[in-house]
Amino acid sequence: MLKGKHIILGISGGIAAYKSVVLLRLLIKAGAEVQVVITPSGKEFITPVTLSALSGKPVVSEFFTANTGEWHSHVDLGLWADAMVIAPATANTIAKMANGVADNMLVTTYLSAKAPVFVAPAMDLDMMAHPSTVRNIELLRSYGNHIIEPASGELASHLVGKGRMEEPENIVKALERFFASKSDFAGKKVLVTAGPTYEKIDPVRFIGNYSSGKMGYALALEAADRGGEVTLVSGPVNMNVSHPRINLVKVESAKEMLSACESIFTDTDIAIMCAAVADYAPKHTADRKIKRETSDVPVIELVKNPDIAKTLGQKKRDGQTLVGFALETDNESVNARGKLESKNLDMIVLNSLRDKGAGFGTDTNKVTIYTRDGRELPFGTKPKEDVARDIIDTIMTL
Ligand code: C5P
């Protein structure tokens, strides 16, 4: 899969830089052409001599070669690459990448890279858990970068926790998987719904739910990375996404979500209904804020919201694929299969609220997929990005 691929290996200054040597060897062995770009502090951990000997290319670190004045073009490098891998990515480098602080060759190359970027964080557990790092990693995800999650284990500080750079073999596997699946959605028009819906009570209040949108956004990115033309219809969430093949349509209520979906469904090949649509909406929305001082305890009459998945299921024609989600607390399998039938879906993804690390707001999910052709596929607890890959892989088998 990696034969002949042009890969930029970015190395920043962390203890895990010693593992980058193994990563470089594995990439070269797999047939890739690798250009190493190292930060000044990366060189404190691993010498350019080792890296250039293994890659067969001079290591790039500075904007100029000091004695000859030769200019190293980060723009050319960015265009040359089929993929860029930053391993290890320290908290500092991640922060610079997230915020465009282009004070070294690695970050300028990152900013110029048109190719997919893979980031393998490595740091101490407390740095990893700091809200600043968490936010910066979320920003990188929203730019469409692939985060290769660090593992838990003993760290250089001898503390035990999350922050160990993923093993080189697994980083190579992530790249191979990416290139293998890169274009299997090419030319497909994909619709993804994500997040909650908000149903207005008055100008300042609404009925909603805790959906974070993370699963739907991960699905949209995965489908787009694999070549799909994606429309992401999103309820109100604290997330953003920028990808040349994702058209983000922001809506608020179930009715708005339905009309956005209906307007493009005839031109859609695959629709993935991931949104946690509110089941009910207030029958009337007050024009003005309902005031405690001037009204009795209000009774809010509710009406049923349209079922978007079911509506699309009724309109589905041959060749279109419709995928739904089910979030259940009991009788999970029976309920999920029931929804597969009643909504005319081709596949349903069940998350059980009984499972730890599954459902709303978490970064991980644990799902079982039921297909129309009778398969039941249980998966383990994984980051939502990996779950998205399992879901898209399964769609490809329908
Ligand atoms: O019936 P239930 O809400 O459990 O069904 C969940 C599935 O149906 C999800 O795929 C969800 O996105 C979709 N759905 C919808 N419109 C609704 C309710 C659910 O599209 N009003």
Side-chain angles (χ1 to χ4, degrees), residues 77-342:
L77 255 185
L79 294 175
W80 169 85
D82 295 308
M84 179 169 186
V85 189
I86 295 129
T90 58
N92 180 47
T93 289
I94 288 172
K96 287 182 181 178
M97 288 162 63
N99 296 288
V101 180
D103 67 349
N104 65 37
M105 191 67 188
L106 191 155
V107 182
T108 43
T109 306
Y110 164 73
L111 293 176
S112 311
K114 290 231 179 304
V117 177
F118 294 77
V119 183
M123 63 196 81
D124 205 47
L125 74 168
D126 293 319
M127 295 175 81
M128 186 74 206
H130 194 279
S132 147
T133 311
V134 172
R135 189 203 57 196
N136 288 331
I137 289 180
E138 272 320 308
L139 280 172
L140 295 186
R141 265 193 233 284
S142 76
Y143 307 155
N145 298 166
H146 302 261
I147 308 299
I148 302 178
E149 289 286 337
S152 281
E154 190 179 347
L155 303 163
S157 59
H158 302 301
L159 295 171
V160 176
K162 189 175 171 183
R164 265 170 76 101
M165 188 176 92
E166 185 51 284
E167 294 307 322
E169 290 77 7
N170 291 336
I171 297 177
V172 172
K173 273 191 198 144
L175 283 166
E176 284 175 339
R177 253 194 326 260
F178 175 79
F179 284 112
S181 62
K182 194 167 149 44
S183 55
D184 57 1
F185 259 43
K188 299 220 188 300
K189 301 235 167 63
V190 184
L191 163 65
V192 180
T193 65
T197 63
Y198 283 2
E199 313 297 334
K200 263 193 178 146
I201 297 171
D202 69 13
V204 295
R205 304 180 180 96
F206 59 85
I207 296 174
N209 60 66
Y210 292 119
S211 168
S212 62
K214 283 181 185 161
M215 192 64 246
Y217 277 61
L219 279 161
L221 276 171
E222 177 71 16
D225 273 344
R226 291 164 77 149
E229 290 293 334
V230 180
T231 302
L232 173 60
V233 179
S234 170
V237 291
N238 225 339
M239 295 189 71
N240 225 317
V241 68
S242 71
H243 189 292
R245 281 192 300 278
I246 297 181
N247 173 26
L248 176 62
V249 179
K250 291 209 165 186
V251 296
E252 194 171 287
S253 66
K255 277 195 180 144
E256 287 169 15
M257 189 172 272
L258 175 65
S259 89
C261 290
E262 280 189 308
S263 71
I264 62 156
F265 186 61
T266 44
D267 200 25
T268 295
D269 300 306
I270 297 159
I272 309 174
M273 305 282 98
C274 190
V277 183
D279 290 320
Y280 305 101
K283 186 168 184 184
H284 303 289
T285 301
D287 292 339
R288 298 176 172 221
K289 184 179 171 191
I290 301 169
K291 300 282 282 180
R292 181 164 27 112
E293 298 84 353
T294 53
S295 58
D296 294 334
V297 176
V299 174
I300 302 169
E301 197 184 338
L302 300 176
V303 289
K304 259 194 172 165
N305 261 337
D307 188 323
I308 302 168
K310 196 168 186 171
T311 309
L312 301 187
Q314 284 158 357
K315 296 185 174 179
K316 192 175 70 170
R317 28 171 192 79
D318 278 357
Q320 284 184 306
T321 303
L322 184 59
V323 177
F325 273 72
L327 189 64
E328 305 288 338
T329 51
D330 355 64
N331 275 333
E332 290 99 333
S333 149
V334 174
N335 285 333
R337 285 181 205 276
K339 280 173 194 170
L340 189 73
E341 289 299 325
S342 66

